[in-house]
Amino acid sequence: MKKILLLFSLCLVVVAAKAQYQSLDTIKAPAKYDNIYVRTLYVDSADVSSYVIFVRNEVKAHKHEMHAEHVVVLEGMGMMTLGDKKFKIKKGDVIFIPKNTFHSVLSISKKEALKVLSMQAPYFDGKDRVLKD
């Protein structure tokens, strides 16, 4: 029992040391950027990474061979292609993209860029991105 309590206490210390807070409402894109602006939020070793991504025009069709992705739409609207399905996305939508699934998005917002939270596991380093022909 003492070992379990010690292990639990140690886990709380590790979690507390890494825990962070960020308000997504305060994250803004710079005044000038090309099509896509990516702001890294958090990286936890090789396990997971998260980003806020702004898309003015589009993200071309691609897949990730080694990781899955969750996308939460924070602002704007878009037309997403996920595998062989195409659908409209808007603020509040959550999309799960399994590994090896081609996906793309076209921003259809008139006044603002599409702003999303992207959470990827394992850690995304860009090396497993495969563009569709």
Side-chain angles (χ1 to χ4, degrees):
M1 182 67 175
K2 286 184 180 181
K3 288 182 181 180
I4 293 173
L5 187 57
L6 179 62
L7 182 60
F8 179 73
S9 299
L10 190 57
C11 287
L12 285 177
V13 171
V14 170
V15 170
K18 291 186 176 186
Q20 298 179 39
Y21 169 80
Q22 173 73 56
S23 172
L24 297 175
D25 292 336
T26 63
I27 298 173
K28 306 292 182 200
K32 292 185 179 186
Y33 65 97
D34 289 329
N35 178 35
I36 300 170
Y37 171 72
V38 179
R39 159 98 183 268
T40 302
L41 290 177
Y42 307 110
V43 174
D44 183 16
S45 66
D47 297 329
V48 68
S49 51
S50 57
Y51 310 88
V52 172
I53 303 171
F54 294 83
V55 180
R56 281 201 171 138
N57 302 313
E58 69 177 321
V59 174
K60 294 192 181 294
H62 66 284
K63 68 177 182 176
H64 306 283
E65 294 180 319
M66 303 304 293
H67 73 271
E69 180 176 7
H70 279 90
V71 174
V72 179
V73 181
L74 303 172
E75 295 176 3
M77 294 184 300
M79 287 302 297
M80 179 155 223
T81 302
L82 183 59
D84 59 357
K85 296 178 182 174
K86 190 171 186 173
F87 50 94
K88 187 175 180 180
I89 58 173
K90 63 185 182 341
K91 181 178 180 176
D93 288 350
V94 179
I95 301 101
F96 173 66
I97 306 167
K99 68 179 178 177
N100 281 313
T101 303
F102 279 105
H103 55 286
S104 64
V105 69
L106 175 67
S107 178
I108 59 173
S109 300
K110 294 189 185 333
K111 295 182 181 180
E112 61 190 347
L114 180 63
K115 178 182 177 183
V116 303
L117 170 64
S118 170
M119 297 163 284
Q120 304 179 26
Y123 166 75
F124 175 65
D125 62 7
K127 293 178 183 175
D128 74 333
R129 180 184 298 138
V130 177
L131 292 175
K132 192 171 187 175
D133 296 331

